[in-house]
Amino acid sequence: MLFLQLLFLFLLLNTFEVSSSPLSRSSIVGGQDARKREFPWQAYLEISLKNKPGYIITCGGSLISQRWVISAAHCFDSSHILTDSLVRLGAYKLSNRTRGEQSLHMKRVIVHEKYVVDKIEKGYDIALVELSKPVSYTTYIKPVTLANADGDFTLGWECWATGWGRIRENVPLPEPQTLQKVKLPIIGNRSCQRLFRNFYNIKPEMMCAGYKEGKKDTCQGDSGGPLVCSKISRKRWVLAGITSFGRGCARPNNPGIYTRVSSFRKWIKQHSGV
């Protein structure tokens, strides 16, 4: 009986897509189905590994130009195989190929030089993925605007996170795996630090989003996805954050922690020209 329990645990851990850190997260708890074409910059990354043939890590990302997608550094390590890894753009229901969807191979991945592998809580969790060829823009596929270096997303902004990952801790998104969205308010870094106390050090290049009572959040399985914000009166979306990590999913006093895009505008421009 013990053998069967251990075998089941082994199969469970090796069936679900697991990213490189147990703290990593993203997808949606307490969200709802997005509308088709509502978030045309949303990317789905399928990353193959050299040391695990047939095994795929999945992450989210955001299209920022015809050639570049931005995601989380912890989605990648030295064992990924670019020629076998794909970026799906224009996807909506993962189980069904969406009309207008495009899949492209990865040409190059640039991970921030200050990111420390398996130390996601230290920050710099950002990576750029160069596509093998330019993607064609359509009504299903469009880039998102990057936050300016002085971007501040507190008062007067409406923010949403999107993804295809878990709907609760260790509970996968059911078929047909429709893109999920959830509205999340930004929590100032000082307030966020008080919530986490000494558990995490919330650095200036990070940002927090969520609710003190929990219930709505990003979760496991699709890290690197977008947190987009818009002035309530304008509805012009700006990429404010990249889903990075957290303590569980949708727990009270544990908001999600995101890479603050505005802190990396110079780095993004230097490496991608965007």
Side-chain angles (χ1 to χ4, degrees), residues 57-74:
I57 289 176
T58 62
C59 275
S62 302
L63 184 69
I64 61 172
S65 76
Q66 285 187 294
R67 277 200 174 272
W68 291 95
V69 166
I70 197 165
S71 187
H74 76 260

Side-chain angles (χ1 to χ4, degrees), residues 57-236:
I57 289 176
T58 62
C59 275
S62 302
L63 184 69
I64 61 172
S65 76
Q66 285 187 294
R67 277 200 174 272
W68 291 95
V69 166
I70 197 165
S71 187
H74 76 260
C75 294
F76 302 93
D77 61 31
S78 59
S79 68
H80 58 257
I81 310 173
L82 294 185
T83 53
D84 293 340
S85 299
L86 289 175
V87 177
R88 291 174 62 179
L89 295 162
Y92 179 57
K93 296 181 179 182
L94 291 183
S95 302
N96 306 320
R97 221 51 188 182
T98 304
R99 177 187 173 190
E101 183 178 333
Q102 299 178 47
S103 294
L104 295 94
H105 287 285
M106 300 177 189
K107 179 180 179 181
R108 180 170 48 138
V109 174
I110 303 172
V111 172
H112 198 285
E113 57 276 6
K114 291 186 178 180
Y115 174 74
V116 180
V117 176
D118 293 333
K119 296 289 184 180
I120 190 174
E121 69 277 11
K122 292 187 178 296
Y124 300 97
D125 189 21
I126 186 171
L128 288 164
V129 179
E130 186 177 8
L131 303 174
S132 58
K133 63 180 181 180
V135 67
S136 300
Y137 292 159
T138 68
T139 56
Y140 297 89
I141 301 173
K142 294 178 182 177
V144 66
T145 301
L146 294 170
N148 293 324
D150 58 353
D152 180 19
F153 300 97
T154 50
L155 296 176
W157 288 86
E158 176 183 305
C159 301
W160 292 76
T162 51
W164 285 283
R166 309 289 183 252
I167 56 173
R168 290 191 300 279
E169 291 183 32
N170 297 312
V171 179
L173 180 66
E175 300 286 343
Q177 296 177 285
T178 303
L179 180 66
Q180 298 292 293
K181 65 178 182 179
V182 66
K183 186 177 179 181
L184 299 172
I186 301 300
I187 299 174
N189 280 24
R190 288 185 181 179
S191 298
C192 188
Q193 188 65 73
R194 285 195 293 270
L195 291 174
F196 282 113
R197 298 182 181 179
N198 295 323
F199 199 87
Y200 295 130
N201 179 22
I202 307 302
K203 300 181 179 181
E205 63 271 12
M206 300 174 181
M207 63 192 301
C208 301
Y211 297 88
K212 187 175 181 181
E213 64 271 25
K215 298 183 181 180
K216 295 184 179 184
D217 197 3
T218 50
C219 196
Q220 307 153 319
D222 202 16
S223 298
L227 176 71
V228 292
C229 300
S230 173
K231 278 285 188 183
I232 294 172
S233 59
R234 296 182 189 173
K235 291 298 180 185
R236 177 176 174 270

